[in-house]
């Protein structure tokens, strides 16, 4: 086949060319099988020669074609195989020609024998070349193993075959040598084959075809050799088939696509000694000597024993060498593994130490640094090398030195890790809080291992938590717990040195108003500002605290005298009076202060001191805003009274002990009564008449203001309806309503029900609410007010101008009447400022189309002035004090009207 044709075949593409290659291999095998079968069955010279030619030469072609097709990188072995096969073909053709054509029995030796014997070295060389390529470098173990097998089988061959030929008397020396040559060559082949089998190269199908083909070859050779010794060999028999199978395998190995991979080198170390190989290596030598001794009589021969013994010794020595090699390899591998493992562990440990967030330091017993991890750079800022050889003492804060060194050396001597927290000097001069655990290395010269970590953040957190537990989060002042503790300490200390000590109790008067009208943010801002002013007023040795809400306390220690406490209280009040700029408004911090002083001989409990100061504060509050009062034991009574009244409120309400008084409201233009304001009274069975200024705050605190207010509303509406029905005039009934009532969702319904039940026309009812209703957040309250308005009632804004609501919000509220508070009216005859306030309110009311009622008119001049301001209505002691409904009846029935003089009172109607 020409070279060009193969290029065409290659050009078919991968699939086409694969099919051609498979076809080639299949065809080759088929032809070989057919030729073998024909060769077995035929007898004729032509057939014998023909089949022999096909059987012998086709593999040669296959070998050369394989090289061409698959282009192995080293084609030399295949060419050697082809050359060997060609030798066989020549030998066979000579043999067959002599036997069948010339009809002569081939002699021993014949010309064919030369060609035959030439095949072996060629094949063996080819195989060796394969082995050499497959496993680059020396594989001593494989070589030894191959030698071991070869020598063992060589002994067998020698004993069973060679020794016989050499001893056969009727053969010429050349014939003897020729006969012995085959087994010798077989041994050679076997040696190379076992070398191939023991290597760790690739094992593609081609490998198995090549190695497997050797087996029938060797078997046929042995049978042939044995037959020749006994002259029983007949050519063309079954023995021939063994050879043909070998040829076929050889050719197939070359035609199989995997042939190119056969002698590709494989990287890697020595192969493991597998079970089969180990079995073969141990059994073959033992078996061969046993067989030789048992089944031959070589030992009778003079040359026998030395050969057998020498071989056995050699085999034994080789096995020993092999075992030794294995042992050494094992030891080397183990050592390598151990080394690798140790290196890994060391490295891992090193990395662990170096990357540890903890600072690990090894110091001598005198604290000289001997080893330092790099983490010190991050924690303290030093380079590890800078610290080596220096003494750790230089880094420890002088105050912490005794405890730190003590713990470290204790940790050393007790052989137990000891932990200490101390301050360590950083490179930048700052200190960190560090926790150091010291343990000792028990060596000849002991050293300490110190594991240090930065606990500054933890410390800060602990500090913060501690602070939180004892401080008010809003103002940062001490809380009640810490304050009581400080007072206790101060009292304890005082028992040693007799210096006066005082507790101030401070309560803001207007906090609720600020909170309600400006919102909680403004309230908080006010508290913070008050705390700040408090601090500024005090010495560092004094302790200010926030007890909760708008209550503050101050502990004053080491006072020069008792009067100093009152001085401080006055100073604080003065400081609070200068306005606070809050939420774009200026707010004056009105406060009441109670002062409790510790008597020289008494040792009170801190709680008692606080309670006394609080009682004094209530007294101060009752005396008007912005004052301070020093506690006296009688104030206990006031305090106790407060508590008692709160308790009695409920029963009094249930038992109907309350009363309502009515204060007339007049038209300032003609002095006629146009309405009344209902004012609650508590005629207490044992304590006498109690005013609303005292019990209304208690009722609001306890929530009882809701039922109390409802009751007052019922009374007012009932009386109003009665006056109305009696034709005593259309009289407006003003009823004070507290925020707590409005916030009650049932309130509107109740008002409607009471109006319905009493029969009072709704437009005659005026609900008086305070300015806190205008607060930012009270949109729900606004809705409540609107629903009240829908009932037809009128709404009055009480004490207008004392709160802090923005006047612009007023427009959005359904207010009908503004009430000018008494303080503004008070100033009217005296100063222009207060007059101006009253005037502003009347002007505003006119703009907003609201009515104005002036409260607390006590003088004729006030009336006259308010009248000039076009304030239409007024109430006050000048006209009439609040009085029972019956008194109002009298006034109305006699048609009383106020005049500029008290003489205006009709004698019969003058109040008692
Ligand atoms: P208010 O609503 O501002 O009532 C007017 C207060 O001024 C009344 O005090 C009245 O007696 C007093 N007053 C009127 N004219 C004069 C005067 O010429 N000179 C002086 N010095 N005082 C005058 P009262 O009755 O002691 O009530 C005090 C406060 O108690 C009321 O102030 C009101 O806020 C509250 N109050 C009274 N009754 C009730 C009630 O039933 N419900 C609610 N929520 N609060 C009430
Ligand atoms: Ca009122
Ligand atoms: Ca008022």
């Amino acid at each position: 086949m020409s070279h060009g044709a193969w290029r065409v075949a290659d050009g078919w593409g991968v699939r086409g060319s694969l099919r051609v290659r498979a076809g080639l291999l299949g065809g080759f095998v088929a032809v070989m099988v057919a030729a073998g079968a024909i060769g077995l069955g035929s007898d004729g010279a032509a057939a014998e020669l023909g089949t022999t030619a096909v059987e012998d030469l086709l593999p040669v072609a296959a070998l050369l074609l394989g090289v061409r097709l698959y282009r192995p990188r080293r084609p030399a072995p295949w060419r050697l195989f082809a050359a060997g096969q060609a030798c066989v073909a020549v030998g066979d053709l000579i043999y067959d020609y002599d036997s069948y054509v010339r009809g002569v029995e081939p002699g021993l030796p014949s010309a064919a024998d030369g060609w035959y014997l030439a095949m072996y070295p060629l094949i063996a060389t080819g195989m060796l070349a394969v082995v050499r390529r497959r496993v680059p470098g020396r594989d001593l173990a494989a070589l030894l193993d191959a030698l071991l097998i070869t020598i063992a089988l060589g002994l067998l061959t020698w004993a069973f075959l060679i020794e016989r030929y050499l001893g056969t008397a009727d053969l010429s020396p050349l014939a003897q040598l020729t006969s012995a040559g085959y087994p010798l060559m077989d041994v050679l082949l076997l040696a190379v084959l076992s070398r191939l089998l023991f290597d760790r190269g690739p094992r593609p199908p081609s490998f198995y075809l090549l190695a497997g083909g050797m087996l029938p070859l060797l078997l046929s050779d042995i049978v042939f050799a044995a037959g020749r010794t006994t002259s029983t060999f007949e050519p063309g028999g079954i023995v021939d088939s063994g050879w043909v199978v070998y040829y076929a395998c050889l050719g197939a190995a070359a035609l199989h696509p995997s042939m190119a991979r056969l002698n590709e080198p494989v990287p890697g170390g020595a192969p493991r000694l597998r079970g089969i190989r180990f079995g073969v290596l141990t059994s073959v030598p033992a078996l061969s000597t046993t067989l030789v001794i048992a089944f031959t009589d070589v030992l009778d021969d003079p040359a026998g024993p030395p050969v057998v013994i020498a071989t056995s010794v050699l085999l034994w020595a080789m096995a020993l060498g092999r075992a030794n090699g294995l042992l050494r390899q094992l030891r080397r591998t183990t050592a390598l593994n151990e080394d690798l493992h140790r290196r890994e562990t060391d490295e891992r440990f090193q990395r662990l130490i170096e990357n540890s967030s903890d600072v690990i330091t090894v110091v001598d017993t005198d604290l000289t640094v001997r080893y330092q991890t790099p983490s010190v750079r991050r924690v303290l800022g030093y380079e590890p090398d800078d610290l080596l050889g220096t003494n750790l003492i230089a880094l420890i804060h002088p105050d912490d030195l005794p405890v730190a060194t003590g713990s470290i050396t204790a940790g050393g001597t007790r052989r137990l890790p000891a932990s200490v927290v101390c301050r360590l000097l950083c490179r930048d001069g700052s200190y960190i809080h560090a926790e150091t655990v010291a343990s000792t290395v028990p060596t000849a010269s002991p050293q300490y291992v110190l594991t240090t970590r930065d606990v500054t953040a933890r410390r800060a957190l602990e500090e913060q938590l501690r602070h939180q537990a004892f401080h008010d989060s809003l103002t940062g002042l001490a809380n009640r717990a810490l304050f009581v503790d400080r007072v206790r300490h101060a009292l304890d200390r005082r028992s040693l040195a007799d210096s006066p000590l005082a507790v101030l109790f401070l309560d803001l008067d207007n906090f609720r108003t600020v909170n309600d009208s400006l919102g909680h943010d403004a309230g908080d801002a006010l508290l913070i500002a008050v705390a700040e002013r408090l601090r500024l007023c005090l010495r560092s040795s004094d302790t200010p605290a926030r007890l909760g809400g708008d209550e503050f306390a101050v502990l004053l220690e080491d006072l020069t005298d008792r009067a100093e406490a009152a001085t401080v209280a006055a100073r604080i009040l003065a400081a609070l009076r200068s306005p606070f700029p809050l939420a774009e408004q200026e707010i004056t911090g009105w406060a009441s202060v109670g002062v409790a002083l510790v008597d020289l001989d008494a040792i009170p409990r801190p709680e008692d001191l606080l309670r006394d100061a609080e009682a004094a504060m209530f007294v101060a509050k009752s005396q008007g805003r912005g004052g301070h009062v020093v506690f006296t034991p009688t104030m206990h009574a006031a305090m106790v009274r407060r508590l008692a009244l709160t308790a009695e409120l409920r029963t009094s309400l249930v038992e109907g002990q309350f009363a309502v008084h009515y204060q007339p409201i007049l038209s300032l233009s003609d002095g006629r009564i146009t309405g009344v304001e209902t004012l609650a009274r508590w005629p207490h069975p044992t304590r006498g008449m109690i005013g609303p200024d005292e019990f209304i705050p208690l009722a609001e605190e306890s929530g009882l203001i809701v039922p109390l207010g409802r009751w007052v509303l019922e009374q007012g509406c009932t009386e109003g309806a009665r006056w109305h029905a009696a034709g005593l005039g259309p009289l407006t009934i003003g009823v004070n309503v507290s925020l707590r009532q409005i916030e009650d969702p049932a309130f509107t319904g109740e008002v409607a029900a009471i109006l319905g039940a009493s029969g009072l026309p709704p437009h005659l009812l005026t609900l008086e609410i305070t300015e806190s209703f205008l607060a930012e957040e009270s949109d729900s309250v606004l809705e409540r007010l609107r629903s009240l308005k829908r009932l037809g009632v009128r709404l009055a804004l009480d004490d207008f101008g004392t709160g802090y609501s923005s006047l612009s919000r007023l427009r959005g509220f359904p207010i009908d009447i503004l009430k000018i508070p008494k303080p503004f009216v008070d100033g009217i005859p005296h100063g222009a400022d207060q007059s101006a306030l009253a005037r502003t309110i009347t002007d505003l009311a006119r703009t907003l189309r609201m009515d104005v009622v002036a409260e607390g008119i006590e003088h004729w001049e006030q009336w006259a002035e308010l009248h000039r301001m076009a304030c239409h209505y007024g109430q006050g002691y000048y006209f009439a004090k609040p009085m029972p409904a019956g008194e109002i009846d009298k006034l109305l029935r006699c048609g009383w009207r106020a005049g500029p003089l008290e003489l205006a009172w009709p004698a019969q109607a003058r109040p008692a």
Side-chain angles (χ1 to χ4, degrees), residues 677-679 736 768 798-799 819 855 875:
E677 177 176 359
T678 57
L679 294 161
N736 294 292
E768 298 193 2
D798 212 350
D799 301 329
K819 294 191 80 166
E855 281 183 335
Q875 66 188 98

Side-chain angles (χ1 to χ4, degrees), residues 552-862:
F552 293 84
V554 179
L555 167 65
L556 302 174
E557 289 183 74
D558 302 325
L559 294 168
T560 45
D561 53 39
R562 292 166 65 89
E564 201 188 342
T567 315
V568 175
R571 190 164 71 225
I572 290 171
L573 289 172
L576 295 184
R577 262 195 293 276
S578 57
F580 295 93
L582 284 182
E584 293 159 12
Q585 312 233 359
E586 298 239 310
I587 289 169
T588 307
W590 296 99
S592 301
V593 176
V595 183
L597 283 153
V598 179
D599 284 330
L600 286 179
D601 48 346
I603 308 172
R605 292 182 307 148
E607 295 82 1
D608 294 343
L609 258 185
L610 254 182
R611 191 204 53 210
D612 291 352
E614 188 178 6
M617 182 277 293
F618 275 118
V619 173
K621 196 159 273 217
S622 70
Q623 290 176 356
R625 288 174 161 184
H628 72 269
V629 164
V630 178
F631 175 80
T632 56
T634 52
M635 286 173 192
H636 255 315
M639 190 75 176
V640 171
R641 178 183 157 95
R642 235 181 99 83
L643 294 172
L645 281 185
T646 306
E648 285 165 12
L649 256 177
R650 187 181 302 274
T651 44
S652 292
L653 191 61
V654 173
E655 291 167 8
Q657 284 178 13
F658 284 89
V660 178
H661 282 191
Y662 300 85
Q663 185 176 35
I665 296 171
L666 303 95
S667 159
L668 292 188
S669 54
D670 60 7
R672 279 181 209 285
I673 299 176
T674 59
V676 292
E677 177 176 359
T678 57
L679 294 161
R681 295 289 180 265
W682 187 4
H684 196 277
T686 55
R687 298 180 197 271
M689 180 69 88
I690 301 170
D693 282 336
E694 189 174 5
F695 70 82
I696 292 289
L698 302 183
E700 285 190 327
E701 273 168 33
S702 60
L704 285 170
I705 190 69
V706 174
L708 177 64
R710 191 192 309 128
W711 181 79
V712 172
L713 182 67
E714 273 166 6
Q715 297 302 305
C717 288
T718 309
E719 294 299 339
R722 192 170 56 79
W723 288 319
H724 187 66
L728 292 174
L731 218 57
T732 60
I733 309 294
V735 178
N736 294 292
V737 176
S738 97
L739 182 60
R740 302 265 313 238
Q741 288 172 270
I742 299 275
E743 281 170 347
D744 183 3
F747 184 65
T748 311
E750 277 171 16
V751 173
I754 290 168
L755 280 172
S758 64
L760 182 75
H763 72 274
L764 292 181
L765 178 64
T766 303
L767 297 180
E768 298 193 2
I769 60 176
T770 55
E771 227 177 314
S772 49
F773 286 85
L774 304 189
E776 301 281 338
E777 289 113 319
S778 54
D779 280 346
S780 61
V781 167
L782 174 62
E783 188 41 52
R784 193 67 44 78
L785 295 182
R786 290 209 177 109
S787 69
L788 283 170
K789 277 299 296 175
R790 281 195 288 273
L791 294 178
V793 305
R794 305 202 324 148
L795 297 177
L797 208 54
D798 212 350
D799 301 329
F800 181 72
T802 53
Y804 305 97
S805 58
S806 124
L807 292 186
S808 60
R809 270 185 71 79
L810 196 58
R811 209 181 286 272
F813 282 80
I815 303 295
D816 305 286
I817 299 160
L818 295 183
K819 294 191 80 166
I820 304 175
K822 183 171 178 293
F824 297 173
V825 173
D826 282 348
I828 284 177
H830 310 295
D833 277 359
Q834 275 85 351
S835 295
L837 280 171
R839 188 181 299 279
T840 309
I841 294 171
T842 45
D843 288 350
L844 183 75
R846 203 172 23 254
T847 322
L848 297 175
R849 296 177 199 287
M850 294 174 182
D851 279 337
V852 195
V853 179
E855 281 183 335
I857 299 172
E858 290 182 341
H859 306 284
W860 153 247
E861 293 89 345
Q862 293 167 335

